[in-house]
């Protein structure tokens, strides 16, 4: 469930069928690229994003929708405030399995 | 309000919902139920499930059933999902009362299937068999198991034995069916996916099979037929044999059926519609 | 190993069908995510940080070569070519799709495997001694009772929605290799004077944010009494365990809040009234399972002990650390380290799975075990085959000779994969492994356990380690807290927090100073780390790490 954020945020979730991380875009669809993510500025925007997340969850297209708070100082860059979100977006920081 | 009782046939809509608060109503959150409260409230207990995640009601019902015997009505209300219906009956509930919303969202089929589809390998009857091992003792050991070749030999020798093919009509049509005089096709599940045939037992009776008829149950690879044989056994049929390798048999190393074992691989007579 | 009969087989197939139906209902919107979540969890399917994750059960860690090959196939076909052995003897895949999961479960059912109850608030996969059935110090094989408990707990209609997860561990040997005192219920199987199995039952152990060593509930419970007792213990927990706060929902908290005596009284009252009908077949079923294991155990003709020391030094080094005593003379238990220098603890590729399966066919009668320390065991190796086995392992990069040493690190997936993690574990394990591997070569460190968890839930068992590392999030930076003196054996203890946490870059230095301090203070090379620690206390270590810096 997407909790409201009042500063600068994007909406993310996982695709219900394949688990991919997805982002809500300005043209009202889900994209696997964060570059497509619609940035909400201020409470009205982020409330709208949160609503879009709730609706998509109810429609069973995605699961675990929530808002990612972005660093406000970078006005166009999509850089999360929280370490967890930075790591989630970056993917595993290690090689897969044993580099045998 | 809807009322679900064990066996999916007993699933009905009732206009009047006053019954669901009959007798003593206990929220599963309340930890104890003493003798005193029963004495005052007669022979009915309603347990409310605040959420489908909260399983206290199952242990609660188990205790009430044990302490109050078979005579007491134990009703589940609140937020259960179809997948929990079996658990509820196994733990001693006699009825589940469902809101219209729960029934319409999950669908009548899912609720009906909740008590009939689940194979006995997974779930057995109320309370008596809470584990794989008890289910094994209740069911499997008493149903004979023969390979298709052995079963065919038996059938040819016997004057009354009937081959009961419980696969789907699609399988009969596209994969073929055994060519044997005394064979009957009655679907255990219907195509495309695993919805249980609710009229299975009726259709078996309508086909003239009695509780004394030696019945050899056949499916694709011996799994559905075992479930069907167990259902027949529960309904009083006495002479049951599961054809363990079925019509097509198990998958071979490359995932193909019809090669390793089964009716076809044993070169027993078959034909296609 | 245990062989499925028709009933077990139809059970796992039916369960796979059931899950296929549940996934269809989920995608059709009939089941909401809130309703579906416990169902998918009880089939091992999580939603993790990046994707779904599927945890497959390896009951009591026992695996056939055919099963391991199938896991390799699943890794290559449905995942990114690897899997991860967990700290509860299971394997998990990090990238499956929800829509593929029913097919994966079908593949598993085809080799007598499943993912049932590897997650969720239910009775989890039973864990046991990875040397079960072959250990030289064994009183009784713990696998038959583990399997009986698996069958009792699986899809138990009453215990599928418990307040919180519930973990059993069973051992039957003098040395506890199953960490039974860190489980919700731990069972120590023994034999009485007449040779009949009896069970010491421990309750209320666990790790997480409130680590507890389990307390003895009752000793020498005979077999017919054990299952009714466990049923009653679970029923009291299901009715009275807290559901208002998930951090206080485990049985350890109930036992603590009620007091062990009151909890015992409640359970005794429940046992007194319990319906015994469902347990009438316990002894017959135990005997059937025991036979099923014996049928699946290879014949082992005792052989002469052989001298393994004379061969090349790499091999004798491996024998010293990785080979354990077998109950049959002339046979050996070979442990295979999945902890290469700088590697990822417990990760194996599909290719390595197939290589291990082939080696197990040649050298271990087709059977393997997975340990809670995330390694692999070959239980049936002829002593005369050890050299050839070692050469085969070394050829596929699995010849590391560090079992039980400090570089044999346990690590959870941490913030590289896990949705709950607060910091990464794997990169820390990799750095420490490189540093410690070099020191082991020159310092004769001996056996030290070093475990890393990426959050307070402690899947990396840091509380139970001689040196434990806990990754936390301090003001959006990873910070690592060190604990000392924990142990998971029969003298189980929870480690003490050493002091303030470290940045990731400073962890190897701090661990190195802890090791230096131990080397300085130990009375001989025979004194193990936790014994030195118990003798000298925390202060010298604290001083070395924080003051000497």
């Amino acid at each position: 469930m997407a909790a409201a954020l009042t500063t600068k945020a994007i909406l993310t979730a996982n695709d219900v069928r394949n688990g991919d991380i997805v982002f809500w875009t300005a043209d009202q669809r889900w994209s696997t690229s964060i570059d497509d993510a619609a940035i909400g500025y201020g409470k009205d925007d982020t409330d709208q994003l949160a609503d879009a997340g709730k609706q998509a969850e109810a429609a069973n297209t995605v699961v675990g929708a929530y808002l990612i708070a972005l660093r406000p100082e970078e006005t166009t860059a999509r850089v999360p405030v929280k370490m967890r979100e930075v790591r989630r977006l970056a993917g595993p920081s290690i090689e897969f399995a044993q580099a045998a | 309000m809807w009322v679900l009782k064990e066996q999916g046939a007993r699933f009905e809509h009732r206009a009047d919902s006053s019954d669901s608060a009959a007798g003593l109503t206990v929220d599963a959150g309340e930890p104890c139920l003493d003798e005193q409260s029963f004495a005052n409230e007669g022979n009915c207990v309603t347990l409310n499930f605040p959420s489908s995640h909260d399983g206290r009601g199952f242990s609660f019902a188990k205790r009430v059933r044990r302490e109050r015997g078979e005579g007491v009505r134990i009703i589940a209300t609140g937020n259960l999902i179809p997948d929990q219906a079996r658990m509820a009956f196994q733990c001693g509930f006699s009825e589940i009362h469902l809101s219209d919303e729960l029934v319409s969202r999950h669908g009548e089929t899912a609720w009906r299937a909740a008590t009939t589809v689940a194979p006995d390998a997974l779930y057995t009857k109320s309370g008596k068999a809470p584990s794989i091992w008890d289910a094994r003792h209740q069911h499997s050991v008493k149903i004979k198991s023969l390979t298709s070749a052995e079963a065919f030999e038996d059938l040819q020798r016997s004057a009354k034995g009937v081959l009961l093919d419980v696969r789907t009509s699609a399988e009969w049509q596209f994969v073929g069916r055994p060519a044997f005089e005394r064979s009957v096709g009655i679907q255990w599940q219907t195509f495309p996916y695993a919805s249980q045939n609710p009229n299975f037992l009726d259709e078996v009776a309508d086909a003239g099979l009695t509780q004394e008829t030696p019945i050899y149950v056949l499916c694709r690879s011996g799994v559905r037929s075992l479930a069907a044989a167990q259902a027949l056994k529960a309904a009083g049929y006495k002479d049951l044999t599961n054809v363990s390798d079925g019509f097509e048999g198990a998958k071979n190393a490359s995932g193909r059926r019809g090669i390793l074992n089964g009716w076809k691989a044993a070169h027993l007579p078959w034909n296609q519609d | 190993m245990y062989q499925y009969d028709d009933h077990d087989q139809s059970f796992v197939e039916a369960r796979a069908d059931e899950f296929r139906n549940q996934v269809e209902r989920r995608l059709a919107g009939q089941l909401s995510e809130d309703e579906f979540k416990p169902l998918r969890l009880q089939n091992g399917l999580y939603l993790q940080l990046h994707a779904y994750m599927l945890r497959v059960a390896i009951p009591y860690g026992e695996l056939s070569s055919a099963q391991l090959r199938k896991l390799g196939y699943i890794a290559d076909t449905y995942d990114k070519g690897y899997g991860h052995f967990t700290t509860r003897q299971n394997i998990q895949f990090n990238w499956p799709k929800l829509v593929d999961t029913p097919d994966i479960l079908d593949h598993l059912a085809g080799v007598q495997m499943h993912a049932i109850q590897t997650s969720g608030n239910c009775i989890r996969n039973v864990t046991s001694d990875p040397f079960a059935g072959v250990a030289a110090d064994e009183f009784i094989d713990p696998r038959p009772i583990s399997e009986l408990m698996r069958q009792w707990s699986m899809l138990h209609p009453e215990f599928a929605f418990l307040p919180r997860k519930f973990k059993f561990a069973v051992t039957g040997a003098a040395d506890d290799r199953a960490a039974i005192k860190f489980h919700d219920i731990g069972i120590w199987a023994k034999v009485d004077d007449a040779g009949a199995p009896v069970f010491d039952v421990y309750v209320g152990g666990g790790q997480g944010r409130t680590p507890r060593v389990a307390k003895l509930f009752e000793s020498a419970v005979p077999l017919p009494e054990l299952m009714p007792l466990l049923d009653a213990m679970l029923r009291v927990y299901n009715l009275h365990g807290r559901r208002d706060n998930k951090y206080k929902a485990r049985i350890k908290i109930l036992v603590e809040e009620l007091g062990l005596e009151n909890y015992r009284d409640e359970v005794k009252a429940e046992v007194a009234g319990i319906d015994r009908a469902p347990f009438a077949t316990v002894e017959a079923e135990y005997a059937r399972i025991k036979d099923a294991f014996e049928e699946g155990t290879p014949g082992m003709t005792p052989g002469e002990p052989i001298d393994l020391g004379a061969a090349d030094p790499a091999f004798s080094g491996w024998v010293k650390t990785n080979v354990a005593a077998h109950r049959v003379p002339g046979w050996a238990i070979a442990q295979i380290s999945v902890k290469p220098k700088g590697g990822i603890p417990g990760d194996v590729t599909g290719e390595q799975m197939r290589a291990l399966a082939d080696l197990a066919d040649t050298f271990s009668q087709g059977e393997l075990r997975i340990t809670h320390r995330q390694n692999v065991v070959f239980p049936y190796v002829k002593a005369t085959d050890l050299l050839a086995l070692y050469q085969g392992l070394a050829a596929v990069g699995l010849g590391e000779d560090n079992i039980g040493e400090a570089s044999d690190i346990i690590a959870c997936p941490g913030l590289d994969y896990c949705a709950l993690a607060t910091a990464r574990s794997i990169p820390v394990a990799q750095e420490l492994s490189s540093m410690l591997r070099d020191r082991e070569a020159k310092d004769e460190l001996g056996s030290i356990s070093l475990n890393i968890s990426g959050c307070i839930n402690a899947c990396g068992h840091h509380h139970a380690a001689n040196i434990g590392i806990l990754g936390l999030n301090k003001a959006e930076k990873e910070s690592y807290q060190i604990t000392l003196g924990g142990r998971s054996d029969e003298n189980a203890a929870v480690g003490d927090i050493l002091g303030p946490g470290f940045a990731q870059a400073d962890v190897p230095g701090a661990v190195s100073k802890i090791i230096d301090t131990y080397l300085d203070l130990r009375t001989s090379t025979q004194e193990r780390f936790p014994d030195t620690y118990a003798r000298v206390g925390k202060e010298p270590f604290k001083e070395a790490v924080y003051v000497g810096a």
Side-chain angles (χ1 to χ4, degrees), chain A residues 14-21 60 62-63 81-84 87-88 91-98 100, chain C residues 26-27 29 33 49-52 82 97-99 340 343-344 347 349 416 419 422 424 426 430 473 476 478:
Chain A
N14 292 76
D15 181 294
V16 69
R17 301 178 64 87
N18 60 29
D20 288 348
I21 293 178
N60 303 304
V62 299
V63 58
V81 174
K82 301 277 186 192
M83 176 179 69
R84 177 188 189 277
R87 295 262 167 247
R88 177 170 177 266
S93 66
I94 46 178
E95 294 289 315
F96 296 152
Q98 309 298 355
Chain C
R26 169 75 189 104
L27 295 174
E33 180 60 18
L49 193 61
H50 309 294
Y52 288 108
Y82 67 105
K97 296 177 168 61
L98 173 64
V99 289
I344 299 173
D347 268 18
T349 62
D416 284 302
T422 45
R424 288 172 300 161
I426 293 171
Q430 288 177 302
N473 177 333
E476 298 309 320
E478 288 161 314

Side-chain angles (χ1 to χ4, degrees), chain B residues 6-7 86 90 118-145 188 225-238 240-242, chain C residues 5-8 10-11 281:
Chain B
E6 199 168 358
Q7 306 309 327
R86 277 273 170 160
Q90 287 174 316
D120 281 354
L122 288 189
Y123 300 107
T124 55
K125 281 194 176 169
S126 39
K128 298 294 190 287
S131 66
I132 311 178
W133 96 69
D134 241 44
R136 172 186 283 111
H137 282 266
Q138 274 191 26
H139 298 289
S140 307
V141 291
K142 290 174 193 140
I143 292 168
K144 278 176 289 180
S145 172
W188 170 247
S225 56
L226 183 60
Q230 285 164 351
L232 288 168
K233 182 176 163 286
Y237 288 82
K238 297 191 182 77
L240 295 160
T241 302
N242 182 39
Chain C
D5 67 5
D6 288 354
H7 193 81
D8 294 309
S10 58
F11 178 90
T281 50

Side-chain angles (χ1 to χ4, degrees), chain B residues 52-56 59 62-63 66 83-84 90 105-106 121 123 132-134 136-137 140 193 223, chain C residues 5 7-8 11 13 17-18 22 25 30 34-35 151-152 157-158 161 238 270 273 278 281 285 288:
Chain B
S52 62
H53 298 208
D54 187 337
R56 268 177 293 198
S59 282
K62 192 123 185 179
R63 259 194 189 169
R66 186 181 75 209
D83 312 79
Q84 291 173 314
Q90 287 174 316
R105 180 158 53 87
H106 292 283
Y123 300 107
I132 311 178
W133 96 69
D134 241 44
R136 172 186 283 111
H137 282 266
S140 307
Y193 173 73
V223 177
Chain C
D5 67 5
H7 193 81
D8 294 309
F11 178 90
E13 288 176 11
D17 282 351
E18 183 187 57
Q22 288 166 342
R25 284 159 55 214
Q30 291 172 294
D34 180 59
E35 290 166 334
Q151 301 206 3
W152 159 76
E158 192 183 341
F161 294 85
N238 193 31
E270 181 63 33
T281 50
E285 186 57 13
R288 188 193 69 78

Side-chain angles (χ1 to χ4, degrees), chain C residues 12 20 26 82-83 94 100 121 147 159 224 233 235 248 251 260 262 307 328 337 411 419 428 465 494 505 535 542:
Chain C
V12 293
R20 187 179 293 277
R26 169 75 189 104
Y82 67 105
N94 293 302
D100 286 340
N121 294 332
E147 174 62 22
F159 303 138
M233 290 174 85
R235 184 160 308 122
K248 296 188 171 176
I251 196 173
L260 181 64
N262 290 328
D307 181 18
V328 181
S337 167
V428 179
V494 173
R535 185 170 56 74
K542 212 170 162 174

Side-chain angles (χ1 to χ4, degrees), chain C residues 327-357:
Chain C
R327 69 177 166 82
V328 181
W331 291 71
I333 301 170
Q335 304 180 81
I336 293 132
S337 167
V338 191
K339 314 289 175 64
K341 180 177 175 180
I344 299 173
D347 268 18
V348 280
T349 62
E351 205 173 319
Q352 285 173 322
M353 290 183 217
R354 278 184 291 277
L356 280 169

Side-chain angles (χ1 to χ4, degrees), chain C residues 46 48 53 55 84-89 92 124 164-165 167 206-209 250 372-374 410-414 418 420-421 425 451-464 469-470:
Chain C
Y46 284 76
Q48 284 293 23
M53 178 272 274
R55 184 181 294 151
H84 175 78
F85 292 129
T86 76
T87 56
R88 296 199 75 251
Q89 301 179 290
Q92 57 198 37
R124 301 288 188 86
R164 199 76 181 87
K165 57 190 168 184
K167 297 173 178 176
Q207 304 193 49
R209 65 184 62 209
R250 296 286 289 271
H372 84 269
R373 295 203 62 87
Q374 305 174 286
I410 294 183
C412 70
C418 178
L420 300 174
S425 312
N451 303 350
I452 306 175
S453 302
C455 81
I456 192 71
N457 292 308
C459 297
H461 299 185
H462 67 277
H463 295 299
I469 296 173
L470 165 63

